[in-house]
Each structure stands twice: as C-alpha cells, then as structure tokens.
Amino acid sequence: MLDIIKAGVNYILDLGAAAMLPIILTVFGIVLGQKVSRSFRAGLTVGIGFTGLNLVIGLLSDSVGQASTAMIERLGLNLDILDVGWPIGAAITFATPIAVLLIPVIFIFNMVLLRFNQTKTMDVDIWNYWHLIFPGAMIYYATDSIIIAIVCSLINTFVIFKLADWTAPAVEHFYGLPGISLPHGETVNFAPITYALNRIWDKIPGINKIDINADNLKDKLGIFGEPMMIGLILGVGMGFLAGYDSQAIIQLGIQMSAVMILMPRMVALLMEGLSPIAEAAKTFIQKRFPGKEVYIGLDAAVVTAHPAIITVALIMVPITILLAAILPYNRMLPFADLAVLPFTVIWSVAASKGNIFRGLLNAILSVCIVFFIGTNLGALTTTMAHAVGFAFPEGATMISGIDLSCHITLWIMLKLIDPSNVPAFAAGVIALVMYGALWFWTRNDIKKQFDIEPENSTDKGVKTNE
C-alpha cells in the first residue's frame, strides 16, 4: 500500500511545478466556486507563465553557470565540499523515506493552521514542499527518529508560514503581487536578518545617504540605466572576469540583457492567471469566514524578475566566488547554485526597498552566513546523500549547496536536538535567541516600510471589509 502511495506521489511530483500548478489551481478555483472553464484557463495561464519563467531562469542558469565555472578555474579554488545545486538537493530530499509521509502531513498541518487562524498562508506550491521536507529529512538522519523528524519539520513549517505571513505585505507593495506569500525557508529565513541590517545601515553616516535603485539609475544614466543595458553591462563584466574571448563576452551580455527584459514579462503572464484565482478566494473567504485573510503561497521565483534582484544577484556571482576563497572557515566550493543567487538575495533587496547598494551589503553578509552553514552541514548532507544512493560527481567526497545552506531554522534545530553536546546546544540557544530578537526588533518594519496600518487594513492579502 505504501509503495502505491509513494508511486502516486512521485508521479505528481515528477510533473514539476509548471504542470502541477495548473492542475492544483484549476481544482482550487472550482472548489472556490468558479466556473470550470474560467478556473482551467487561469490555471493553464499560470502554467504557461511558469514555463516561460523557467525557460528564462534556465537561460540565466546556463549562462551564469558557465561563467562561474570559468571564474572558479581562474582562481584555482580547491575546496572539499561541493555545491551540487538545488535540483540534486530536491531529488535527494524526495528520495528519503520520510518524504512520502511528510507531504500529506505538511498539507494537513497547513489546513489546520488556516482553520485555527495560526497562519494566513495556503501553500499551493506542493512541488516545492521539498524545502519544508528537507529540514525534517536532515533531522531524521541526525537522530534516526521519525517522530523527532516529524515534530521538528512541523515546527519549522510553522515558523516558515509565520515568516511568509509577516513578509506578504512586501510581496504585495514592493514586488507588486497582491494576495501572495513566499513560504520557502531558503529565502524567507533571511528576512529578519536583512531587515535588521537595514536598520543598522540607517544609523551609519554616509551609508544611510546612498540610494541606488532602478528608477534613479534610469534617471541619472539615461539609456544606460535601463534594465536591458544593466543586464548587458553586467553580462559583459562577468564575461571579462571569466576570461572569455570577445565573442563569448558579447553573447553573455546579450543573454543577460534578455533575462532582464523577459523575466518581468513572464511574471506578468503568471499574474494574469493568478488574478482570477485570487478574486475567487477573496469572494469565498468573504462569504464563509468574515474578517479572515488568506495568502496564496507560491514559489519565490515569482519575484526574481525584479530588476534590483537580478542586478544584485549578477554582481554577487564574482563576489560569492571571492568570499569562498577568502573566508577562513569556508570549505564549500560554490558551483551549481551560483545561478540561483536571485533567490538568495530576494529579502536582501526587499529590506532595502530596491536600494541596490544596501541590497548588495545585505547579500554579502547573507552569503557569509550561507557559507558557514554549508560548511557546518556538509557532513550530514553527505550522509543523507549516501543513504539514498546519490551518485557523487567525480572527485567529490562531500556535498552541500548555497540553496541548501539558506535554511537557518534547520541549523538552529540541529544544534538544539542534542543537549548532551554542550557546545553545539549552547550555539543553538544563542542563535535562537539572536534570531528571535532580530525578528521581534523588526516585527513592524515591513508595515512601516509601506505605511500599512497595524490592524484592520484592507489593502493586503485576500481579506474582507466585514
């Protein structure tokens, strides 16, 4: 019976997000009272938008990946933990014995939290549940206890949903996606840290006066400040650092220029499909749950089209490689996930409200944390990969990843689950207190950032006026 369930789950997961979302959203729309044709059209449009977005991200990944490899070779980096990338991280996670159990458990837990008003996020991006399952899988291999793994996974999920609720106003007012939240730990984990950093930059003379964003770049630089030109310049610069010849440099410049233009258009198409679903959800909630607001939880990819994100991410590629070389504690070789730095810097940029200079400062410090966690969790990640039969790349003895190492809450829980290891437990307690304190310190910053009233506001999420 378990094999049949696992086969069914694997079939659905193998469809990928672009195929799963149309099915899920079509069913969701029908349940909310929409006509079948309208729900299907909306779901299909979202699938097309995600397909287009993935094609552009694929272009970005291929281009940046090749340039990154060339830069790493030029620097002669030789570190013993290989960044294998999020696709392998997802495959390893879904191959663990706990994954098939956690998928329905997390879904039911999400519904229970919604029912009892403990979250406003309805996570429909089931393919990306792997981000919520990964902490549970890691803890399973650390403790060999399914019970502890499930409990820790649900605690982590609860925290991620609360972070998604907290940051949803920024998703609406800064990224322009009303009624959407981003419940993925590898991105939203950093929000309390980047918002705290933004407060610090406000207090430092000189830094607090620097404001470089996409709008004033265009005003000051004219055509050279437009997204397509920024992409061209950054692509050419990256090609130069990679040691490319003139032809390859020009090609990379054009490809990055295309990314800057095409990504926002794919997101616009995706939002065209989401709008009817969001309206149906609003009507449904108004009738049955007066006063309640619900966010639709989606893949963080939907905000990566922002020009400031792409700009900061491309600048961060050579900086990340340099940090890997100079940070004394780092053993992780950045590789496959260099192309997904747009995801890593989402909250670095949002906290600065699009200020590219501050976003870059936030991103540098965030990546330093990523390298620390990636190095620290390399042995356990490798153990999990061996357990599921992962075929290691030639020459690789240990693995980790930039995306995998963004799970701050996982690192904290791993330190807290073994009180007998006094140094690790103490580190976990200190990290938990610091993380909680930063979140508490910045708890009202997002609302202040967009002049949102603390309570009874009608301009965020899917909520009612009743």
Side-chain angles (χ1 to χ4, degrees), residues 394-410:
E394 184 178 352
T397 57
M398 296 181 70
I399 65 168
S400 191
I402 291 175
D403 186 271
L404 302 182
S405 305
C406 287
H407 293 80
I408 298 172
T409 50
L410 164 62

Side-chain angles (χ1 to χ4, degrees), residues 209-231:
K209 300 296 182 184
I210 301 175
D211 184 12
I212 303 173
N213 58 60
D215 291 333
N216 64 31
L217 273 180
K218 187 174 181 180
D219 292 339
K220 293 177 180 178
L221 301 178
I223 186 175
F224 292 99
E226 295 181 6
M228 69 171 68
M229 292 301 296
I230 293 173

Side-chain angles (χ1 to χ4, degrees), residues 181-354:
S181 68
L182 310 177
H184 296 136
E186 87 287 5
T187 59
V188 79
N189 266 187
F190 277 94
I193 295 173
T194 56
Y195 274 93
L197 287 171
N198 197 55
R199 278 202 177 196
I200 294 171
W201 309 140
D202 281 336
K203 305 296 183 182
I204 300 177
I207 288 180
N208 59 8
K209 300 296 182 184
I210 301 175
D211 184 12
I212 303 173
N213 58 60
D215 291 333
N216 64 31
L217 273 180
K218 187 174 181 180
D219 292 339
K220 293 177 180 178
L221 301 178
I223 186 175
F224 292 99
E226 295 181 6
M228 69 171 68
M229 292 301 296
I230 293 173
L232 177 65
I233 293 167
L234 291 175
V236 167
M238 194 180 302
F240 178 77
L241 292 174
Y244 283 179
D245 60 30
S246 59
Q247 286 183 325
I249 288 174
I250 293 170
Q251 289 171 347
L252 183 58
I254 297 298
Q255 288 167 347
M256 293 304 98
S257 183
V259 167
M260 294 288 279
I261 293 299
L262 293 175
M263 282 187 78
R265 296 186 180 181
M266 294 302 101
V267 171
L269 182 61
L270 185 149
M271 287 309 299
E272 179 185 327
L274 280 175
S275 293
I277 301 295
E279 286 300 315
K282 180 177 180 179
T283 302
F284 183 87
I285 297 299
Q286 283 176 338
K287 289 181 178 179
R288 291 165 178 80
F289 306 102
K292 180 179 285 192
E293 55 185 335
V294 175
Y295 302 120
I296 299 173
L298 289 180
D299 189 340
V302 298
V303 300
T304 55
H306 195 283
I309 284 183
I310 304 174
T311 301
V312 170
L314 292 180
I315 296 172
M316 279 302 298
V317 171
I319 291 176
T320 299
I321 294 171
L322 179 62
L323 287 172
I326 65 175
L327 288 174
Y329 57 79
N330 178 57
R331 293 169 53 195
M332 184 172 74
L333 177 68
F335 183 61
D337 270 343
L338 283 167
V340 300
L341 282 172
F343 293 81
T344 308
V345 307
I346 285 170
W347 293 107
S348 294
V349 171
S352 69
K353 210 173 178 180

Side-chain angles (χ1 to χ4, degrees), residues 323-391:
L323 287 172
I326 65 175
L327 288 174
Y329 57 79
N330 178 57
R331 293 169 53 195
M332 184 172 74
L333 177 68
F335 183 61
D337 270 343
L338 283 167
V340 300
L341 282 172
F343 293 81
T344 308
V345 307
I346 285 170
W347 293 107
S348 294
V349 171
S352 69
K353 210 173 178 180
N355 184 331
I356 293 170
F357 176 74
R358 287 195 187 192
L360 194 58
L361 294 180
N362 293 340
I364 290 171
L365 293 173
S366 297
V367 167
C368 289
I369 296 173
V370 166
F371 277 129
F372 173 77
I373 296 177
T375 297
N376 199 251
L377 298 187
L380 182 57
T381 307
T382 302
T383 297
M384 186 167 77
H386 278 304
V388 301
F390 169 67

